Amino acid sequence: MIVSGVIGSFIALVEYRISNNQSIVFPRSHCDNCGYILKWFDLIPIISYIFLLGKCRKCKFKINRSFFLIELLTIVSTTMIYIFTLNIKYIPFLFILIFLSVQDFKNKFVSLSSILLLLLSTLLISFNIKK
C-alpha cells in the first residue's frame, strides 16, 4: 500500500508538471507559493496531507487536493486489484490508466506518448497471461 501511494504521488506530480510545462526531475518538490523545499516527511502519501491539514508547512498555502485524491485512488485501486486477482502483474497497467485518466480529466487531452505507453504495457501484459 505504501508503494502504491508513493507511485500515486508521483503520478500526480508528473501530471501536474507536464500540464504546467515543467521538468518532472528538477526542481525538487516544493510549495508553489513560497518555494519551500519539502522534506521527506512532508511527502508521505495521504498521511502528510492529513497531518498538515492540506496546507504548506511554512506559508499555510492550500495544497492542491488532487494530489491527495490521486494518491488515495491509487492505493484503493491497487489494493482492490490485488485482493480480487491475487496477482500484481496488472498493477503497472493500472498506474498508466490512472495517469491517462487524470491527464484526460484535467486537460481534456491525452498525449500520444502516454497512449503509446499504454499500448506497450497492454501488449506486455497480454503476452504474459497464461491460459
Side-chain angles (χ1 to χ4, degrees):
M1 278 182 28
I2 293 172
V3 173
S4 63
V6 170
I7 292 172
S9 182
F10 184 69
I11 288 170
L13 172 91
V14 169
E15 193 287 319
Y16 176 80
R17 289 195 177 183
I18 286 174
S19 296
N20 293 305
N21 294 322
Q22 298 176 358
S23 167
I24 62 171
V25 180
F26 296 106
R28 289 182 48 194
S29 295
H30 61 279
C31 173
D32 287 333
N33 187 50
C34 69
Y36 170 72
I37 302 295
L38 301 177
K39 308 285 189 241
W40 67 268
F41 47 82
D42 294 326
L43 297 171
I44 300 170
I46 306 292
I47 295 170
S48 60
Y49 187 90
I50 293 170
F51 180 73
L52 294 171
L53 302 173
K55 297 178 182 173
C56 171
R57 179 179 300 278
K58 186 174 180 184
C59 71
K60 306 300 182 209
F61 184 74
K62 194 171 185 175
I63 299 170
N64 190 335
R65 192 177 315 145
S66 68
F67 283 89
F68 174 78
L69 295 173
I70 294 167
E71 291 168 2
L72 186 62
L73 172 69
T74 307
I75 290 170
V76 170
S77 302
T78 304
T79 304
M80 291 186 70
I81 281 184
Y82 184 73
I83 288 172
F84 291 116
T85 67
L86 296 175
N87 196 333
I88 62 170
K89 68 181 170 188
Y90 300 109
I91 293 176
F93 184 66
L94 170 73
F95 294 149
I96 295 168
L97 286 176
I98 290 173
F99 174 75
L100 290 173
S101 300
V102 170
Q103 191 178 40
D104 185 38
F105 181 78
K106 286 187 168 185
N107 304 319
K108 310 297 185 257
F109 172 80
V110 177
S111 66
L112 179 60
S113 59
S114 299
I115 293 171
L116 292 175
L117 182 61
L118 176 65
L119 177 63
L120 178 64
S121 67
T122 304
L123 290 172
L124 290 173
I125 289 171
S126 65
F127 285 125
N128 289 325
I129 296 176
K130 296 184 180 183
K131 298 182 182 191

